[in-house]
């Protein structure tokens, strides 16, 4: 069984996923894995180079993130093309990874679970939400960045109401001490469900 966990910037989805990992659940960080695949996956590299030119990679083979970012920043068609190359690669990699895991179920962490269509790669979805000011404050404290840039990033993401509507479960992340029992409860639920599924199969 596969669980997708999403949430906007500063909502605490990585913190929630860390708590699942601490409970022995295998967690796939799709943002990190997408970056890895863009460097390591030969077919994806070739497709990115074909679409964006050899400048997408530096002479020593590293992904030229600055160049790619500048190409997609103001060009929505270029961004859609890049997404259309990267998202299927992540989906395939996640499926292969999930098949190798031994935990009763696995967790996929993605800031863009719904936008990337990754919700179709999982059986249940969880949205992590938190009050706007708290998210802003946490992100500024963590990244040391200014409010304006965080607000811009927030505006580009699905809002909490939409996430709540679309997800099967919602974790409201306000007090840190409440998170552990909430994750424990979800873990019990998912473990039981995974057990029933195996039994019924
Ligand atoms: P991003 O999309 O930017 O990666 P995220 O949703 O993964 O954000 P986290 O990195 O988990 O968010 O949390 C943002 C910051 O807020 C982190 O520094 C984290 O330690 C802190 N944080 C998360 N939840 C709480 C909480 N309940 N109380 C206090 N601090 C918290």
């Amino acid at each position: 069984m596969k669980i997708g966990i999403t949430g906007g910037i500063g909502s605490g989805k990585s913190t929630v996923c860390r708590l699942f990992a601490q409970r022995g659940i295998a967690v796939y960080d799709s943002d990190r894995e997408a970056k890895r695949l863009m460097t390591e996956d030969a077919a994806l590299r070739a497709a990115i180079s074909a679409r964006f030119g050899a400048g997408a990679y530096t002479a020593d083979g590293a992904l030229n993130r600055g160049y790619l970012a500048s190409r997609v920043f103001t060009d929505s068609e270029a961004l859609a093309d890049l997404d259309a190359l990267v998202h299927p690669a992540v989906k395939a990699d996640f499926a292969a990874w999930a098949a190798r895991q031994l935990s009763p179920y696995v967790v996929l962490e993605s800031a863009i679970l719904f936008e990337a269509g990754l919700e179709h790669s999982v059986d249940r979805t969880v949205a992590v939400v938190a009050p706007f000011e708290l998210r802003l404050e946490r992100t500024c404290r963590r990244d040391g960045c200014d409010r304006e840039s965080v607000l811009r990033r927030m505006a580009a993401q699905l809002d909490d109401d939409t996430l709540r509507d679309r997800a099967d479960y919602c974790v409201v992340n306000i007090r840190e001490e409440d998170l552990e029992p909430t994750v424990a409860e979800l873990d019990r639920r998912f473990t039981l469900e995974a057990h029933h599924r195996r039994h019924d199969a």
Side-chain angles (χ1 to χ4, degrees), residues 103-147:
S103 57
Y105 63 92
V106 299
V107 162
L108 167 84
E109 175 187 351
S110 173
I112 52 168
L113 186 78
F114 296 111
E115 296 94 320
L118 279 164
E119 90 251 44
H120 304 300
S121 296
V122 295
D123 303 292
R124 294 282 180 273
T125 53
V126 178
V128 182
V129 301
F132 185 81
E133 272 302 323
L134 256 186
R135 293 172 53 200
L136 202 54
E137 191 186 297
R138 283 175 190 156
T139 310
C140 286
R141 195 171 341 115
R142 187 194 57 191
D143 301 344
C145 57
D146 62 305
R147 282 175 70 96

Side-chain angles (χ1 to χ4, degrees), residues 8-15 109 138 142 173-176:
I9 180 170
S11 61
K13 63 189 164 303
S14 302
T15 307
E109 175 187 351
R138 283 175 190 156
R142 187 194 57 191
N173 174 22
I174 298 177
R175 285 162 18 123
E176 201 148 19

Side-chain angles (χ1 to χ4, degrees), residues 126-177:
V126 178
V128 182
V129 301
F132 185 81
E133 272 302 323
L134 256 186
R135 293 172 53 200
L136 202 54
E137 191 186 297
R138 283 175 190 156
T139 310
C140 286
R141 195 171 341 115
R142 187 194 57 191
D143 301 344
C145 57
D146 62 305
R147 282 175 70 96
E148 286 309 311
S149 78
V150 181
L151 284 170
R152 260 199 311 278
R153 286 158 70 190
M154 276 180 165
Q157 299 183 326
L158 293 178
D159 60 45
D160 277 4
D161 287 343
T162 307
L163 292 180
R164 263 177 197 275
D165 282 351
R166 294 189 65 170
D168 299 312
Y169 298 91
C170 184
V171 172
V172 182
N173 174 22
I174 298 177
R175 285 162 18 123
E176 201 148 19
E177 57 270 36

